[in-house]
Amino acid sequence: MSVQQEASVDGEALEVWIDQDLCTGDGICAQYAPEVFELDIDGLAYVKTADDQLLQDPGATTRVPLPLLTDVVDSAKECPGECIHVRRVSDKVEVHGPDVA
């Protein structure tokens, strides 16, 4: 995936991560953006890399592909566990999710 294909805010790349401690396992994120989110055997959601590798380490992030930005943001808005965080890569400031004022 090229830099031009990654989502950005004001020209800055975005990444997403899930706080599994808050995940309720509803799977809404995987319904909105299955290319980015997946439920694992433990019933919790995790992010995936562009090559479909499930990232199970706590706080693991993946870049947000531009074509999926709306789906990822909608996932963060609709998540009942409020556990999806979208932030700028450069300074880790959250731009979508429960910590946005």
Side-chain angles (χ1 to χ4, degrees):
M1 177 180 314
S2 71
V3 173
Q4 290 79 16
Q5 293 174 317
E6 291 176 355
S8 64
V9 171
D10 297 328
E12 294 197 45
L14 299 178
E15 62 188 4
V16 61
W17 68 281
I18 297 176
D19 182 343
Q20 279 78 27
D21 290 337
L22 299 176
C23 181
T24 58
D26 288 270
I28 291 171
C29 56
Q31 291 175 14
Y32 274 105
E35 303 87 347
V36 177
F37 305 108
E38 182 177 322
L39 291 177
D40 197 20
I41 194 167
D42 63 4
L44 301 177
Y46 295 87
V47 295
K48 302 189 298 185
T49 63
D51 62 354
D52 219 29
Q53 177 186 358
L54 195 64
L55 303 176
Q56 295 175 297
D57 292 332
T61 65
T62 193
R63 296 288 179 105
V64 178
L66 181 57
L68 299 175
L69 176 59
T70 300
D71 294 335
V72 170
V73 170
D74 287 346
S75 296
K77 288 178 182 176
E78 299 298 325
C79 177
E82 296 185 338
C83 64
I84 300 173
H85 304 266
V86 181
R87 64 188 183 191
R88 291 189 300 251
V89 172
S90 62
D91 59 7
K92 308 298 186 208
V93 170
E94 190 163 320
V95 294
H96 299 287
D99 296 336
V100 175

